[in-house]
Amino acid sequence: MKKYNPVIGNMPHILHGADYNPEQWIKWKDEIWPQDMRLAKKAGINILSIGIFSWSMLEPEEDVFDFSWLDEVMDMLAENGIKADLATPSGAKPAWMGKNHPETLRVERNGVRNEFGGRHNACLSSPYFRRKVTQINTLLAERYKDHPALGMWHISNEYGGSGDSSCYCPYCRAAFREFLKKKYGSLDALNEAYWTTFWSHRFTNWEQINPPMPAGDTNLHGLNLDWHRFTTWQYIDFYRLETEPLKRITPDKKCTANLMNLFWPINYFELARELDVVSWDNYPLWRNSEKDYEVAQNTAFLHDLYRSLKQGQPFMLMESCPSAVNWQPVSKIHAPGAHLSHSMQAVAHGSDTVQYFQFRKSRGSSEKFHGAVVDHEGQGRTRIYGEIVQTGEALSRLDAVVGTTVPARVAILFDWENWWAYTDAQFAHNDNKAYDEIVREYYRPFAEMGIPVDIVDETCSLEGYDLLITPLMYMIRDGFDEKIRRFTQQGGTWLTTCITGYVNDTDLCFLGGFPGPLKDVLGLWEEELDALYPEDENCIKWREKSYRGFYYCGLSHVLPADEALGQEASVEARYGKDFYAGYPAITRHQAGQGQAIYVAARMEPEFYRDFLGALADELKLRRVLPEIPYGVEVTSRTDGEKEYVFLNNYLPREAQVSIGEGGLDLLSGKEISGQVNLSAKGILIYQRKFS
Ligand code: GLA
Ligand code: ZN
């Protein structure tokens, strides 16, 4: 039975493609465009994202439209069996618009309005801009609704991708005030939520409230947090505006917006709810050295996040670079084999596409040296083009993988609102709050053990997980304490760290001791938090081995049974140094059918490996393979019956892996088992029964 790619309904393949800007070559189209098609087809390319930055070519003068070139491109794609991921052009507005309608230009955080230039440069509240976006999106949808090349919609580009992503103009300020009015209803409620009596900040009129700006207020943490929430809401609202005509005119076409890394300004869990399919742009700093394993783990974390944003539904690797990413501080070229390995990593974590920025390298401007499928050489004679052809061939053998997902029973919390609030707080390590670093320290051992992980935020369901890890869960948003309580009652294991449960969701501290409403579940009270200088450390002995604790040390007390669900927590390890030697460093508390574990300090990697390894055994978490050598990543996808196992060696030397009974090697078509050799940067994908 054929499985159809959930990204584009009628394609039973993993998609292979790129951003394509044929309009840059319009004067040479008779020569260049046919060549593009020949090179795309040879590489097995079946999707191209077009029109991303085409506004000035589609509407060269205000209200003067020209779709003729796009008609030709769409026809050409259809003739060549390639689907268009057709973009709305709002990612960069034309120069005439900046001149004729200056209110479309953003006002920066310093209060100064920008000149025309760059991209991702519009005020999202500007009524004129909004009207023009609706107009051009409607024209695109009407014109191409029945076109055989139309595959899906690429909404704008990297929402928020320039400057600090917000606009501080009068329209946006007014919209912010409306957002707050709706949220709080009264100024009294807002004043209370923001604790405005502090430094005489009580507001008596909504007009007195401005976004956080250096020339004004940056100290009201509740306000800062709401500005982040407002920014997220603004992008969601704008996305809805953009997609309204598309959903109305082409209801069967999916829409996506390409996301980026851990993008600070927008809460992606919220934005992703709006998207039909999640897509993201991946530009790791590959090193072509031993360090690549670490780079791969960081990238794996991101792939897992993007898969988790829509509860495991396959995502799209919308952009990746076939070689040097020219804007990186050191733009390394990719070594032989690296391209296939990096591409397969995305598929291994749940992507149903491998796409690049860009198809043909531009001849001018700032991206003229950015890696591409087709280089300035132009004929596909490059090493990189050869590797892309090889990747296309490999992807063509993975039809069976389409639509499958990753069976994770471990969830790690990465919560944008918590990240904002915790980073804003003035305490402990103001130089570097290290939220995502510390979250990843808990992620890495699972990657090394071959145990799949989902990334969740506080709004996600915890159903189906055996283990929930919530590093630095400073903020407990409304209702999340109840979810954790239920999760542990029903048998789940909850592991958390110091700095858990300090504030509620308007960033007001919990009274009565931390972790606020979860003290009884954790069975302890964190009284103080010590921040350590880089040269200082504590030592924590757990199961006969001493480990280094650094950076943060939480000073806690086990609560008496009557304050802890009827049972005292047991102390598994204590601090060995400083005046708090003897204080609990690791505790475990029976909570309902489940348990709650507390790790008081930031620990060296060896500890996480040992501790989480023991916990994985205790909870009988399934490993894709029992033994995985350092440097090799092992992941899998399944449809519940078959399992597709991906091995990826990130080290610049050979590795041996035991795959036991093995199965069918999807790339060679041969049965494999026992000990297999992976070359430097080698990959292996095989199919076995899922059990
Ligand atoms: C981003 C953008 C692309 C391109 C690439 C270059 O991801 O979306 O348009 O600029 O970066 O790496
Ligand atoms: Zn604005």
Side-chain angles (χ1 to χ4, degrees):
M1 208 182 70
K2 269 190 183 166
K3 288 190 276 190
Y4 290 105
N5 192 314
V7 170
I8 294 187
N10 53 0
M11 296 266 257
H13 314 296
I14 300 275
L15 301 177
H16 193 206
D19 280 18
Y20 181 42
N21 306 294
E23 69 274 30
Q24 291 179 10
W25 304 90
I26 202 147
K27 286 201 174 145
W28 301 271
K29 73 179 163 72
D30 294 341
E31 184 195 336
I32 299 280
W33 292 7
Q35 220 171 63
D36 286 343
M37 290 301 102
R38 181 179 64 77
L39 292 168
K41 282 202 295 191
K42 191 172 163 207
I45 282 180
N46 44 27
I47 185 166
L48 289 167
S49 301
I50 56 171
I52 297 180
F53 298 113
S54 306
W55 203 331
S56 68
M57 291 291 281
L58 294 172
E59 190 177 356
E61 291 299 335
E62 187 162 4
D63 294 328
V64 178
F65 294 93
D66 175 12
F67 290 94
S68 59
W69 66 269
L70 188 54
D71 292 348
E72 261 186 80
V73 172
M74 289 290 279
D75 292 350
M76 174 175 82
L77 296 189
E79 275 157 33
N80 288 281
I82 295 173
K83 288 289 176 196
D85 177 15
L86 182 57
T88 63
S90 65
K93 61 180 183 291
W96 57 256
M97 197 186 284
K99 198 83 200 149
N100 303 356
H101 303 274
E103 83 275 10
T104 63
L105 300 168
R106 260 194 216 162
V107 172
E108 292 293 331
R109 209 160 172 246
N110 57 11
V112 178
R113 199 177 284 280
N114 285 336
E115 300 285 333
F116 171 77
R119 57 175 175 171
H120 312 130
N121 49 6
C123 163
L124 301 187
S125 308
S126 148
Y128 176 81
F129 186 66
R130 294 172 74 93
R131 221 170 33 244
K132 289 304 282 184
V133 163
T134 298
Q135 180 190 34
I136 199 155
N137 291 7
T138 307
L139 289 172
L140 284 168
E142 286 292 357
R143 194 167 188 99
Y144 300 113
K145 63 177 191 286
D146 298 319
H147 199 289
L150 182 65
M152 66 182 300
W153 293 103
H154 184 294
I155 309 304
S156 198
N157 189 66
E158 295 190 334
Y159 269 160
S162 302
D164 85 353
S165 310
S166 297
C167 171
Y168 298 78
C169 79
Y171 286 127
C172 289
R173 293 183 193 205
F176 181 45
R177 291 180 195 124
E178 281 312 307
F179 176 87
L180 297 178
K181 269 187 209 163
K182 225 164 132 189
K183 176 166 180 182
Y184 293 102
S186 73
L187 277 172
D188 235 20
L190 177 140
N191 279 316
E192 192 176 318
Y194 291 178
W195 208 250
T196 50
T197 313
F198 176 77
W199 287 359
S200 196
H201 277 50
R202 291 193 71 83
F203 297 113
T204 52
N205 183 318
W206 293 97
E207 294 300 310
Q208 296 160 357
I209 304 174
N210 277 322
M213 295 166 80
D217 234 326
T218 54
N219 295 296
L220 286 179
H221 287 176
L223 179 84
N224 295 350
L225 192 57
D226 276 341
W227 177 250
H228 288 301
R229 289 172 174 144
F230 167 73
T231 302
T232 297
W233 171 83
Q234 233 189 352
Y235 280 99
I236 288 175
D237 177 63
F238 190 74
Y239 178 86
R240 287 182 183 155
L241 177 94
E242 287 227 49
T243 52
E244 185 281 323
L246 313 179
K247 300 230 161 257
R248 182 163 40 79
I249 301 164
T250 59
D252 59 327
K253 299 294 178 220
K254 298 204 169 164
C255 298
T256 190
N258 50 334
L259 311 180
M260 321 160 242
N261 289 317
L262 294 177
F263 187 60
W264 166 263
I266 302 178
N267 180 347
Y268 277 170
F269 278 95
E270 297 280 335
L271 179 57
R273 289 205 179 96
E274 306 291 317
L275 313 180
D276 298 320
V277 51
V278 165
S279 66
W280 84 283
D281 301 345
N282 179 25
Y283 295 101
L285 293 156
W286 295 109
R287 300 291 289 269
N288 191 27
S289 74
E290 296 280 326
K291 293 206 169 122
D292 275 355
Y293 184 44
E294 210 184 303
V295 179
Q297 289 179 335
N298 285 334
T299 309
F301 174 84
L302 294 168
H303 285 312
D304 285 346
L305 166 72
Y306 285 103
R307 184 192 66 246
S308 305
L309 287 182
K310 278 197 117 43
Q311 296 74 47
Q313 179 185 309
F315 60 94
M316 304 175 77
L317 175 64
M318 184 61 86
E319 293 179 26
S320 62
C321 184
S323 195
V325 181
N326 75 322
W327 49 261
Q328 289 177 341
V330 178
S331 312
K332 270 196 93 59
I333 56 169
H334 292 179
H339 181 69
L340 180 63
S341 152
H342 303 168
S343 301
M344 283 306 171
Q345 183 182 27
V347 179
H349 285 267
S351 178
D352 270 2
T353 81
V354 170
Q355 293 160 265
Y356 315 116
F357 180 85
Q358 53 195 325
F359 183 76
R360 183 179 282 272
K361 213 175 247 193
S362 338
R363 191 168 176 201
S365 237
S366 60
E367 287 175 342
K368 63 182 177 292
F369 296 120
H370 191 289
V373 176
V374 182
D375 210 326
H376 296 137
E377 171 275 332
Q379 308 286 326
R381 287 198 204 97
T382 61
R383 173 178 70 86
I384 289 297
Y385 178 74
E387 298 207 16
I388 289 165
V389 172
Q390 189 203 352
T391 302
E393 274 164 15
L395 291 173
S396 74
R397 303 200 182 141
L398 301 185
D399 288 0
V401 176
V402 168
T404 58
T405 191
V406 174
R409 306 205 45 100
V410 177
I412 296 183
L413 187 81
F414 183 90
D415 186 281
W416 256 262
E417 295 204 356
N418 179 56
W419 185 22
W420 293 329
Y422 161 72
T423 308
D424 209 17
Q426 291 184 22
F427 74 144
H429 280 282
N430 289 313
D431 49 344
N432 177 19
K433 292 283 179 27
Y435 179 58
D436 64 295
E437 272 171 68
I438 294 174
V439 170
R440 286 176 213 238
E441 286 167 0
Y442 279 89
Y443 172 85
R444 259 178 224 129
F446 293 100
E448 288 172 7
M449 291 186 280
I451 296 175
V453 171
D454 280 348
I455 310 300
V456 296
D457 84 343
E458 296 189 18
T459 65
C460 293
S461 158
L462 302 177
E463 295 273 304
Y465 296 116
D466 298 325
L467 173 62
L468 167 71
I469 303 183
T470 62
L472 306 175
M473 192 179 68
Y474 167 76
M475 170 183 276
I476 301 179
R477 292 159 69 182
D478 235 7
F480 194 55
D481 49 328
E482 275 314 312
K483 272 193 215 171
I484 290 189
R485 192 173 291 279
R486 221 172 314 126
F487 175 73
T488 51
Q489 253 163 20
Q490 293 169 356
T493 295
W494 170 44
L495 187 161
T496 198
T497 66
C498 59
I499 319 183
T500 287
Y502 278 23
V503 300
N504 70 9
D505 60 10
T506 60
D507 214 346
L508 293 179
C509 293
F510 287 113
L511 303 178
F514 304 146
L518 287 169
K519 288 194 300 286
D520 58 341
V521 177
L522 208 52
L524 60 75
W525 165 45
E526 186 168 290
E527 184 187 350
E528 289 180 275
L529 177 75
D530 196 13
L532 276 58
Y533 279 97
E535 60 275 23
D536 297 336
E537 61 183 56
N538 209 303
C539 86
I540 292 161
K541 202 164 156 202
W542 180 74
R543 297 197 182 164
E544 305 310 312
K545 208 164 147 185
S546 268
Y547 300 92
R548 203 165 69 86
F550 67 110
Y551 212 70
Y552 287 137
C553 292
L555 277 54
S556 296
H557 312 280
V558 167
L559 290 173
D562 62 339
E563 291 177 39
L565 310 175
Q567 203 168 339
E568 263 192 26
S570 59
V571 179
E572 292 198 357
R574 296 182 185 275
Y575 287 112
K577 277 174 55 177
D578 217 318
F579 74 87
Y580 42 92
Y583 275 55
I586 298 165
T587 65
R588 202 187 269 251
H589 185 229
Q590 179 80 35
Q593 306 282 310
Q595 54 179 341
I597 297 170
Y598 168 75
V599 179
R602 186 177 182 185
M603 304 292 291
E604 63 174 307
E606 192 66 17
F607 169 80
Y608 295 120
R609 248 178 232 132
D610 293 347
F611 189 79
L612 297 174
L615 192 59
D617 289 343
E618 179 191 317
L619 300 177
K620 301 195 173 52
L621 298 175
R622 180 177 184 272
R623 300 175 189 225
V624 180
L625 288 178
E627 290 290 332
I628 302 170
Y630 182 84
V632 175
E633 182 182 63
V634 179
T635 53
S636 81
R637 293 178 61 169
T638 179
D639 55 13
E641 282 175 21
K642 294 209 172 81
E643 181 173 26
Y644 305 95
V645 181
F646 292 74
L647 275 59
N648 210 326
N649 175 18
Y650 292 102
L651 298 186
R653 54 182 141 79
E654 268 202 4
Q656 274 83 42
V657 190
S658 291
I659 59 166
E661 280 184 21
L664 177 70
D665 179 339
L666 291 182
L667 300 187
S668 74
K670 293 191 185 122
E671 288 291 333
I672 50 168
S673 62
Q675 182 97 344
V676 293
N677 272 352
L678 287 175
S679 57
K681 304 211 181 304
I683 60 154
L684 181 70
I685 305 164
Y686 68 94
Q687 174 190 310
R688 69 181 183 191
K689 221 171 132 262
F690 182 66
S691 57

